[in-house]
Amino acid sequence: MSDLSLFFGQFLRRPSEIRAIAPTGRATAREMARLVTPDMQAVAEIGSGTGTITEAILNTGLPPERLELYELNAAFCQRLRDRFPGTSVHNLPAQEMVNVGRKNLDAVISGVPTLPMPDELQAAIVGAALQMMKPGAPFVQITYGPVAPLSEAVRKQFGLTHTKSQRIWANLPPARVYVFRQQA
Ligand SMILES: C[S@@+](CC[C@H](N)C(=O)[O-])C[C@H]1O[C@@H](n2cnc3c(N)ncnc32)[C@H](O)[C@@H]1O
């Protein structure tokens, strides 16, 4: 089955978890992976879906053994294991990385749809990531919405500043990439 069919089929089953009808486009995936470099020691991607962003991350030259993937959906996890041998695929919510993941992450790349989530869930996800990341490392978040994908209250709670990309029109729907960092 193609990635598109698998993605759309799972969207129909679990729309509130997946929140998009198609995988991220290539231009957006490249922007999501822009800050990853081959010398990084540990990177996590959360909400990997069928792996469009994963592929862009690995195309930077990062060895697959240094990439951890967290994905709620079991069918997507099977696709990720088939497509990306060497990566660590966790069929777990991203919040669980504190129990199973590597520390001192150089970056976290997030396809998890944070924008529609309540503040408590946003805080659980970004809080877990920040616990596992090196100080000042980037938390890269995709969004389709018109505002920052982490609420003002959550940004304030963790002392996050951000930059954002131009809107990327070659995506369904058009997307933007935010980079959040915790201030010292
Ligand atoms: C919009 S899709 C993006 C998929 C993929 N990154 C892409 O760009 O094509 C969101 C993905 O996040 C996953 N997801 C939602 N909440 C999650 C959570 N708390 N932890 C891990 N994955 C989650 C969903 O199962 C879904 O695969």
Side-chain angles (χ1 to χ4, degrees):
M1 191 192 296
S2 73
D3 285 350
L4 191 58
S5 307
L6 175 63
F7 197 98
F8 189 62
Q10 293 299 315
F11 166 75
L12 292 178
R13 288 187 179 85
R14 297 182 179 81
S16 64
E17 280 174 16
I18 296 179
R19 295 271 177 185
I21 58 168
T24 296
R26 286 182 194 282
T28 311
R30 275 196 303 275
E31 181 65 24
M32 290 289 287
R34 188 173 55 83
L35 297 177
V36 176
T37 55
D39 59 320
M40 286 182 165
Q41 294 305 304
V43 173
E45 184 196 357
I46 64 177
S48 308
T50 50
T52 315
I53 297 171
T54 318
E55 184 175 24
I57 293 171
L58 293 174
N59 282 344
T60 65
L62 184 81
E65 293 73 22
R66 298 191 201 153
L67 181 59
E68 296 192 322
L69 309 176
Y70 293 87
E71 170 52 59
L72 274 185
N73 184 290
F76 288 166
C77 284
Q78 192 53 55
R79 177 62 53 100
L80 294 166
R81 290 189 184 102
D82 292 344
R83 276 188 78 184
F84 306 109
T87 61
S88 303
V89 180
H90 301 282
N91 187 191
L92 290 171
Q95 307 86 297
E96 290 293 318
M97 72 167 73
V98 287
N99 298 318
V100 298
R102 263 183 274 187
K103 294 204 169 84
N104 290 318
L105 296 172
D106 293 292
V108 172
I109 313 296
S110 173
V112 172
T114 53
L115 182 63
M117 290 177 172
D119 281 8
E120 294 71 24
L121 190 49
Q122 288 187 9
I125 292 169
V126 75
L130 288 168
Q131 268 190 61
M132 304 303 276
M133 288 159 68
K134 287 181 179 166
F139 180 90
V140 181
Q141 175 67 52
I142 190 172
T143 188
Y144 312 120
V147 296
L150 295 175
S151 74
E152 195 177 343
V154 171
R155 284 181 272 141
K156 203 167 165 189
Q157 178 181 348
F158 293 106
L160 299 174
T161 58
H162 66 264
T163 58
K164 61 182 177 185
S165 73
Q166 296 291 314
R167 189 167 288 280
I168 303 165
W169 293 99
N171 202 77
L172 184 67
R176 218 186 267 281
V177 174
Y178 278 69
V179 178
F180 295 94
R181 293 179 198 264
Q182 192 168 41
Q183 294 309 291

